[in-house]
Amino acid sequence: MSSTLRDRHFWVVVAAGAGLGILGVLLAVWGNPQNSGICVSYFIENSSGALGLHDNERMQYLRPELIGFVLGSILCASLFREFRSRGGSAPLARLVSGIFLIVGSAVFIGCPIKLFLRLTAGDITSVAGLVGLVAGVWIGLQGLARGIDLGRAEDERGATGMLVPAGFVLLLVFLLARPTFILFSDRGSAAQHAPLLISLAVGLTLGALAQRSRFCITGSVRDGMLMGSRSPLFWGLLAFLAGAFVTNLAMGRFNFGLYGQPGAHLEYLWSFLGMLLVGWLSVLIGGCPFRQLIKAGEGDADAGLAVIGMLLGGGLVQSWGIAATAAGVSMSGKIAVLAGLAFVLVMSLLFRDRTA
Amino acid sequence: MLRDRFDQLMIVALVGVLIFTAVLMAGAGPREDNRDAQAAKRQLEREILHQARVAYIKRHYTPVITLRDSGALPDALLKLEELSRTLPGEAHNDLLSGDIMLRMGQFDRAISKLASAVKHNADYVDSASPLSQRPLIEAAVSESLPLIRDRLRVQPENRTLAQVLKDGYYLQSRLAGGCE
Amino acid sequence: MKYLILIFLLCGVLLSGCEQPLEGPPIRIGYMNCNSETETMQRFRPLTAYLSQELGRPFEAVPVDTQDFESRFAAGEFTFTHGNSLLYIIMHENQGLRLLATEKRGQFGSRTAGSIIVRKDSPIKTIKDLQGKRMLFGPQLAPTGYLAQYDLMLQAGFDPEVGLDYYAIPRGAYKHEKVIYGVYFGEYDVAAAPTLDLELMTREGRISADDFRILAQSEIIPYCTFGADKDADAELVEKFRKALVELTPETTVKIDGETIKVLDSAWIDGFETLLDEDYDPIRAMAKRVNMPPYQEF
């Protein structure tokens, strides 16, 4: 432990975790919806709507934080010479996984980051999602231990890893220039947002921190399971929890209870299954939705495809009524989660190396 | 990279395409439907749609509101019944019905109707919307939920009330905010 | 081959399980006639078939006139009852009828009310103005077609026996509708109309809300009610109640090869379990109006 404390990387991870937790709460204080200061799946759904991929007028906003995550990551990776174009590992499977990452999150109402933001704000309905996420990560690890492998990413010629970050630069231009074909809600939760420059700055900072630290929620849960307190990511997660909890308390946003929680429903089974799907997929494709964005910024074209899948998923969950609301989970939401579980099961069968 | 004629041709073509794009964008000049005007138009259309909806609702439901405000609550409910024929599925019908039920002391029905209204039109819990009815919904939730909970303690097997309680929690959750 | 035979046998066993014969003697349910026997049977045959299917016992529907309901129940003609809330109170007080579930229909769910209505253009503004007027009532044992309005007038200090010039109860079927049309066509000045009937007729477009003014509306009281004989098997009664409250608008039953929606067919939105004390306002009304089961001569 003492050697760990002397390790600079350890402190970068802790800073990333604490930063994500504290700023996740503060962004809600500054204008983002309650408990959704940072929620990658919600940001993706908003951004898909802004790009015209769905027509829910209350869910259209090009979230600056999302752009910040990718651009912060590429800037940091370039600065530290860690940008490397790579890809070619089961690209289509990753694209579809990206879709189902958003399906699972939308049914739970939140990505793994928001799960912990909800938890630290006293929303105990999120415990079902937490159990699901941990179960999903555990199942994913069992699969990896038994030979499931999507294959190694190879260095790619042609700088294909630049394509997704370039796309996000374009999104930044759209955000600033606001061309007519980009849609912005003037009501509903998408109309609730922190000031643009603050959101962008927070996104860039967290993107850079996450790139340096490799911090991600499911990764922390995974490493916590594998290595316990020896894992820096585990400490990063604790820093996230402590930061978010203290900030929620300090800002008067802690509301302990089961009922009447913002952006939450009472269908625990589906919260569990939604997050189980997210946890499982995240282990197989090497990171939660947030981590996919960061990796895409580092030049990982496979993660970039997962991000594109997430954007498609953001459109689909709104257009097909898959996303859950406080009223509960729709039939199409339930079927989509089951389809996702079927997909990950098939993937586990098809990508298993049985030679060992 | 520029080792042969093919590469050079590609570079020249790329530069050509980029120049052509820049010229097209820069030289397009002001048009009748220029970008700013289009953006303003889009915003205006949304605003008009909103105002039209508010005006539409006001026009159709004014008789109900007049009856409600004069204290003729049963007549107001009957008028709502009639309007449900011409405006089937209109969330405002549920909203006013919930309002009247609350005034009549029918807390369980009020909660169910208000929850149905918000499920169909979330503008009712949106503070920024001209259709916002947050004070009404907040009052309904704060008055009704303790009564419904008390009743359920006596009659835990009452499924109708259990559903009403769920609707109450739904409204509470929507009032608390969060993403949709 | 032997596996094939086994599969056939298994299918046979499973299929025979789907069409289990109903056991025991028929259990009779008395349904109060609202308008006619034919209509009552049409409405409640699917519900009765559903109960047979769910409980595995043969139920039989018996249409019963309101006036005869208590005497026929007392005579043991049926074990379960479906009638208005006043009938429930009468049989609860006199025969110990047990409360099962209350029918949900219309704006107030498992509850409803009685209204005193006049034409929109009527000079009558208050109950006091009814002095010397002609009024139409629903049947005497109708809680929201007679009892509630009679009570409203007494509560307002107006005795209909003395104050009204004349009052009547229409003959034959569809009494509540006749009451409403009686005022609509100007035959009578005022009528005692169940709020639910006003609501349904407005919804169906048969009357307009603008044609009438509701002079007064009663307290909101429980609607039609299922009850069970106090001596009926407790387990069976509980299963009966459960089957009722589990009904959803999608529940269907097969009758003569036809799939029918149970609640739709019975004109019911669902069932709710109420408490006996929820019926106390009706008891208070019956006492004030001097009606059964508290009638004193």
Side-chain angles (χ1 to χ4, degrees):
Chain A
M1 183 69 201
S2 59
S3 63
T4 310
L5 288 176
R6 284 194 297 271
D7 180 4
R8 200 162 66 93
H9 177 68
F10 172 84
W11 290 108
V12 176
V13 173
V14 168
L20 207 58
I22 293 167
L23 291 169
V25 178
L26 287 179
L27 278 171
V29 175
W30 293 328
N32 280 6
Q34 186 79 10
N35 289 0
S36 302
I38 295 174
C39 173
V40 172
S41 64
Y42 171 64
F43 290 173
I44 288 274
E45 285 171 51
N46 276 198
S47 302
S48 294
L51 294 172
L53 296 178
H54 68 73
D55 63 355
N56 183 348
E57 285 186 10
R58 305 172 64 84
M59 291 285 280
Q60 294 165 337
Y61 180 55
L62 217 44
R63 288 277 171 187
E65 296 89 343
L66 212 57
I67 298 168
F69 294 153
V70 177
L71 299 189
S73 168
I74 191 172
L75 288 174
C76 193
S78 305
L79 192 69
F80 288 91
R81 299 181 183 282
E82 286 182 343
F83 184 88
R84 190 164 60 86
S85 258
R86 56 193 189 273
S89 155
L92 266 179
R94 288 175 190 274
L95 181 103
V96 179
S97 299
I99 295 175
F100 282 119
L101 278 179
I102 298 302
V103 166
S105 300
V107 164
F108 167 72
I109 315 190
C111 72
I113 295 175
K114 183 173 166 182
L115 188 161
F116 285 100
L117 287 177
R118 278 172 57 178
L119 197 66
T120 53
D123 173 0
I124 47 176
T125 64
S126 59
V127 171
L130 175 64
V131 176
L133 185 77
V134 172
V137 170
W138 184 82
I139 297 170
L141 282 175
Q142 298 306 308
L144 292 185
R146 283 161 181 77
I148 295 168
D149 184 10
L150 300 193
R152 277 178 62 86
E154 302 291 337
D155 281 1
E156 284 193 340
R157 294 187 311 139
T160 51
M162 280 300 294
L163 284 175
V164 169
F168 275 82
V169 170
L170 192 63
L171 292 186
L172 179 62
V173 173
F174 288 163
L175 177 66
L176 300 173
R178 298 203 167 207
T180 51
F181 51 85
I182 299 294
L183 307 168
F184 292 93
S185 297
D186 53 7
R187 63 203 174 95
S189 63
Q192 296 173 24
H193 49 80
L196 191 151
L197 289 178
I198 290 181
S199 300
L200 193 60
V202 168
L204 286 166
T205 308
L206 292 176
L209 273 173
Q211 195 282 321
R212 291 305 300 145
S213 63
R214 274 72 173 162
F215 179 75
C216 107
I217 297 288
T218 48
S220 308
V221 174
R222 180 199 61 205
D223 284 11
M225 276 181 186
L226 292 173
M227 297 190 282
S229 61
R230 284 176 295 132
S231 155
L233 286 184
F234 174 75
W235 290 98
L237 181 61
L238 289 186
F240 174 99
L241 290 172
F245 177 67
V246 170
T247 316
N248 268 316
L249 273 182
M251 294 292 152
R253 291 187 168 234
F254 185 79
N255 174 30
F256 186 79
L258 200 58
Y259 303 113
Q261 294 289 353
H265 59 72
L266 301 171
E267 297 198 26
Y268 308 120
L269 172 68
W270 293 101
S271 288
F272 170 83
L273 290 176
M275 273 294 124
L276 181 129
L277 177 62
V278 173
W280 193 348
L281 276 173
S282 297
V283 170
L284 294 190
I285 66 170
C288 64
F290 176 66
R291 181 75 188 134
Q292 297 301 323
L293 289 163
I294 302 302
K295 281 165 66 176
E298 292 170 344
D300 187 333
D302 293 330
L305 270 173
V307 169
I308 292 169
M310 280 156 54
L311 280 165
L312 285 175
L316 288 181
V317 296
Q318 286 295 325
S319 299
W320 293 358
I322 290 168
T325 67
V329 184
S330 65
M331 181 52 76
S332 46
K334 292 171 184 174
I335 290 168
V337 165
L338 294 177
L341 290 172
F343 167 76
V344 72
L345 284 164
V346 169
M347 207 162 88
S348 300
L349 289 170
L350 296 181
F351 285 95
R352 187 161 174 218
D353 180 2
R354 296 177 179 82
T355 53
Chain B
M1 206 171 187
L2 293 168
R3 275 187 301 196
D4 63 10
R5 189 169 290 271
F6 183 80
D7 282 344
Q8 290 161 1
L9 202 64
M10 289 298 111
I11 291 289
V12 169
L14 176 65
V15 170
V17 167
L18 290 177
I19 291 171
F20 184 48
T21 309
V23 168
L24 200 66
M25 286 171 74
R31 296 172 301 173
E32 272 183 26
D33 57 345
N34 67 65
R35 196 176 58 185
D36 290 344
Q38 271 191 17
K41 193 177 163 195
R42 188 185 297 274
Q43 280 302 107
L44 187 68
E45 272 172 3
R46 279 194 177 179
E47 186 58 32
I48 288 170
L49 203 66
H50 246 293
Q51 289 191 9
R53 183 172 165 73
V54 174
Y56 179 83
I57 283 170
K58 203 172 172 185
R59 181 159 57 88
H60 278 86
Y61 288 97
T62 296
V64 179
I65 291 164
T66 309
L67 285 167
R68 180 199 67 187
D69 293 346
S70 69
L73 301 181
D75 296 85
L77 275 182
L78 205 58
K79 190 69 193 166
L80 273 180
E81 202 62 59
E82 187 170 279
L83 283 172
S84 69
R85 277 173 63 79
T86 44
L87 304 164
E90 169 54 52
H92 213 66
N93 209 307
D94 284 333
L95 181 98
L96 284 173
S97 182
D99 179 2
I100 294 165
M101 292 286 179
L102 189 67
R103 288 165 195 246
M104 286 176 140
Q106 298 298 302
F107 297 106
D108 50 346
R109 301 299 293 167
I111 289 291
S112 299
K113 288 286 181 185
L114 291 174
S116 170
V118 175
K119 279 175 194 170
H120 287 105
N121 187 355
D123 281 2
Y124 295 128
V125 286
D126 198 342
S127 328
S129 166
L131 288 176
S132 177
Q133 293 286 339
R134 282 184 76 93
L136 165 71
I137 296 165
E138 277 164 353
V141 168
S142 62
E143 281 177 44
S144 309
L145 281 193
L147 296 172
I148 294 163
R149 278 197 210 101
D150 287 349
R151 171 88 193 217
L152 262 172
R153 248 174 245 128
V154 181
Q155 235 195 328
E157 78 288 356
N158 189 326
R159 294 175 185 214
T160 307
L161 272 184
Q163 180 55 47
V164 173
L165 189 65
K166 224 175 142 188
D167 285 340
Y169 290 142
Y170 165 73
L171 287 174
Q172 253 188 341
S173 183
R174 291 312 302 260
L175 287 166
C179 60
E180 294 172 36
Chain C
M1 186 61 196
K2 74 180 174 191
Y3 288 116
L4 209 60
I5 293 168
L6 270 174
I7 288 167
F8 273 118
L9 280 174
L10 189 66
C11 287
V13 168
L14 287 174
L15 287 173
S16 67
C18 297
E19 291 286 334
Q20 274 183 347
L22 302 169
E23 289 170 10
I27 304 165
R28 291 153 69 95
I29 307 171
Y31 291 104
M32 185 187 84
N33 288 326
C34 281
N35 294 307
S36 69
E37 279 194 12
T38 319
E39 184 194 87
T40 304
M41 290 305 281
Q42 264 177 354
R43 278 179 70 186
F44 292 108
R45 204 173 146 219
L47 178 61
T48 310
Y50 160 79
L51 289 164
S52 300
Q53 179 189 293
E54 290 300 300
L55 276 70
R57 302 285 297 271
F59 283 95
E60 189 182 309
V62 183
V64 188
D65 280 337
T66 315
Q67 299 294 341
D68 304 334
F69 213 107
E70 191 197 357
S71 57
R72 291 182 66 177
F73 177 65
E77 282 193 36
F78 33 87
T79 310
F80 292 94
T81 67
H82 176 268
N84 70 43
S85 48
L86 181 60
L87 274 181
Y88 160 70
I89 288 172
I90 293 170
M91 292 185 287
H92 177 78
E93 303 296 321
N94 297 340
Q95 279 83 33
L97 183 75
R98 272 191 281 174
L99 175 63
L100 277 186
T102 311
E103 187 179 320
K104 290 196 280 187
R105 196 175 175 201
Q107 299 236 32
F108 297 108
S110 60
R111 290 171 173 83
T112 185
S115 296
I116 298 176
I117 57 164
V118 293
R119 273 175 64 109
K120 194 76 149 194
D121 54 6
S122 167
I124 301 168
K125 303 289 179 206
T126 66
I127 289 178
K128 294 279 182 212
D129 298 338
L130 294 179
Q131 188 68 38
K133 303 295 182 196
R134 292 163 306 143
M135 184 165 182
L136 259 181
F137 278 99
Q140 254 184 325
L141 284 177
T144 59
Y146 182 93
L147 172 67
Q149 290 86 348
Y150 204 103
D151 181 55
L152 270 174
M153 289 188 273
L154 290 180
Q155 296 261 64
F158 180 86
D159 183 350
E161 302 293 341
V162 181
L164 289 173
D165 175 46
Y166 168 76
Y167 75 81
I169 296 170
R171 295 179 63 187
Y174 298 100
K175 285 187 173 65
H176 297 310
E177 293 187 10
K178 284 175 180 168
V179 158
I180 293 165
Y181 284 130
V183 167
Y184 180 76
F185 289 112
E187 295 290 316
Y188 287 81
D189 303 306
V190 59
T195 305
L196 179 65
D197 286 72
L198 281 173
E199 186 187 317
L200 294 173
M201 288 172 76
T202 308
R203 194 186 302 164
E204 289 159 10
R206 287 192 282 156
I207 57 169
S208 163
D210 296 330
D211 296 334
F212 299 97
R213 193 151 27 82
I214 297 173
L215 213 57
Q217 185 176 280
S218 73
E219 195 175 337
I220 292 157
I221 53 175
Y223 188 50
C224 287
T225 302
F226 259 108
D229 190 325
K230 67 177 188 320
D231 298 323
D233 174 31
E235 195 187 340
L236 179 74
V237 170
E238 201 38 52
K239 280 185 182 168
F240 194 105
R241 184 208 309 271
K242 197 164 169 276
L244 288 177
V245 296
E246 278 176 356
L247 271 166
T248 70
E250 283 73 42
T251 310
T252 57
V253 71
K254 268 203 164 173
I255 294 183
D256 304 332
E258 196 182 346
T259 304
I260 297 169
K261 284 189 171 175
V262 176
L263 288 177
D264 246 16
S265 158
W267 310 347
I268 294 171
D269 296 338
F271 287 95
E272 182 175 356
T273 45
L274 294 185
L275 299 170
D276 181 64
E277 52 256 44
D278 291 324
Y279 290 72
D280 286 349
I282 309 176
R283 289 188 172 95
M285 283 180 189
K287 281 174 187 164
R288 287 193 294 263
V289 177
N290 194 29
M291 277 188 67
Y294 309 108
Q295 202 169 24
E296 286 175 6
F297 296 101

